[in-house]
Amino acid sequence: MTELAIPNDRARWSFSDIWEKHGAAIITALCLLFILLAWWAGRQNMPTAEIILFILAYVVGGHQKAIEGLTTLFKEKDLDVDLLMVVAAIGAASIGYWMDGAILIFIFSLSGTLEDYTMEKTNRDIRSIMKLRPEEAVLLENGVERKIKVEALKKRDVILVRPGDRISADGIIIGGYSAINEASITGEGIPADKKKGDEVYSGTINGQGALEIEVTKPSEETVLSKIIHLVQEAKNEKPPSQLFVERFESIYAKVVVLVAILLMVLPRIYSTGPGAIRYTGQ
């Protein structure tokens, strides 16, 4: 009996997931590997292999920065530090300093990897906070329970929160008594006892008792929503120091790229021209 071949979707998904999460780190590691192999080839007196390995390090570690720099140049008509790095590395290689250029590319690749991990951690934090916000609430109308979307809740609506459920809106307890875990809002791990008249917050976890809560804020104005909004703003907003560095970087990049080009071109012109002056050591 012939067995049917079943595609290994799980393995394919796993590889894609690993590359999505750690692709930048893999590229940085490969860049470092090629640099170390090039250094070893140089020690073994294999110049051709050394140059090939250095070129691989340049291409693997610097191709993304080169694309970003060229994109900025052609689309925004501006030079940035990415293109500065590429020109500096190529300039170093053109005068024989392959290792220096490769190390520069590796440092930029490593900094990009660390930045990606930092951004991903921030995104994970935002997603974990957003998961605390319930999607549905149990609305009480004339003693009848009805599930509705949290976004549809209005002020003075009354909701029912059963034991173990997350509270779906900021409000005031009008019936029931329970201990509520407010760690998601206050950071306090010990549940707080809540009774009639006490304020409760969306995203916190109800304990053993059922609660009837009068909604005091719409979903977009809850404390949890404000926390999410502040975290997102902090992620996207650049501090004044970074804005200053970026403005300085734009001018600095133009100057350094121009100087690098001149240093690559002028020595070759003066050393190969018919009237070139050569240093004889005397």
Side-chain angles (χ1 to χ4, degrees):
M1 182 177 178
T2 305
E3 293 184 359
L4 295 176
I6 301 175
N8 194 346
D9 293 335
R10 183 177 179 183
R12 185 163 57 249
W13 176 88
S14 297
F15 174 78
S16 174
D17 186 59
I18 290 172
W19 181 259
E20 182 180 354
K21 290 181 179 178
H22 307 293
I26 293 171
I27 288 173
T28 301
L30 285 174
C31 178
L32 178 60
L33 175 62
F34 286 131
I35 292 173
L36 294 175
L37 289 174
W39 173 83
W40 176 82
R43 301 274 294 184
Q44 299 300 316
N45 196 24
M46 295 186 293
T48 302
E50 181 184 10
I51 297 300
I52 291 173
L53 288 166
F54 272 131
I55 291 174
L56 288 173
Y58 277 53
V59 172
V60 170
H63 77 281
Q64 188 61 43
K65 293 295 183 182
I67 292 172
E68 292 173 2
L70 291 173
T71 300
T72 301
L73 177 63
F74 290 118
K75 287 189 175 182
E76 303 178 16
K77 309 299 181 184
D78 193 19
L79 290 170
D80 64 4
V81 73
D82 294 322
L83 193 59
L84 166 64
M85 180 275 298
V86 173
V87 172
I90 294 174
S94 70
I95 58 176
Y97 289 90
W98 286 91
M99 178 62 80
D100 301 79
I103 291 175
L104 177 62
I105 285 178
F106 169 72
I107 291 172
F108 265 76
S109 180
L110 179 61
S111 66
T113 298
L114 295 177
E115 182 180 353
D116 287 346
Y117 276 126
T118 301
M119 292 298 293
E120 176 58 28
K121 183 180 184 302
T122 303
N123 290 333
R124 284 200 307 269
D125 291 341
I126 292 174
R127 288 194 296 267
S128 64
I129 295 174
M130 292 184 71
K131 287 180 181 178
L132 300 177
R133 184 168 54 188
E135 296 182 358
E136 292 184 331
V138 179
L139 181 67
L140 286 178
E141 290 182 319
N142 301 320
V144 179
E145 300 177 12
R146 180 165 61 92
K147 282 190 176 183
I148 64 170
K149 293 291 184 181
V150 170
E151 291 78 10
L153 288 174
K154 304 182 297 295
K155 281 186 176 182
R156 300 191 179 281
D157 281 346
V158 177
I159 59 174
L160 173 66
V161 181
R162 295 185 175 89
D165 288 349
R166 287 191 181 274
I167 296 174
S168 50
D170 288 6
I172 301 294
I173 297 175
I174 60 174
Y177 169 88
S178 184
I180 297 177
N181 186 337
E182 297 182 324
S184 58
I185 301 295
T186 65
E188 178 59 55
I190 300 175
D193 291 334
K194 299 284 183 175
K195 61 184 182 304
K196 184 176 179 179
D198 287 341
E199 189 173 10
V200 292
Y201 305 103
S202 172
T204 56
I205 303 174
N206 186 21
Q208 295 83 11
L211 297 174
E212 292 182 11
I213 299 170
E214 181 180 320
V215 177
T216 56
K217 297 177 184 177
S219 63
E220 65 273 10
E221 295 180 9
T222 63
V223 173
L224 184 61
S225 294
K226 290 179 180 179
I227 291 174
I228 294 172
H229 180 68
L230 288 173
V231 173
Q232 289 174 330
E233 275 192 343
K235 172 193 170 187
N236 297 324
E237 187 174 312
K238 296 179 180 179
S241 59
Q242 184 177 350
L243 293 174
F244 170 77
V245 169
E246 288 181 355
R247 286 194 296 267
F248 174 77
E249 174 188 288
S250 176
I251 300 172
Y252 176 75
K254 294 179 177 68
V255 173
V256 173
V257 168
L258 178 61
V259 172
I261 292 173
L262 291 175
L263 290 176
M264 284 190 290
V265 174
L266 291 180
R268 295 178 182 276
I269 294 175
Y270 283 105
S271 64
T272 59
I277 299 175
R278 291 179 173 81
Y279 177 71
T280 60
Q282 297 181 351

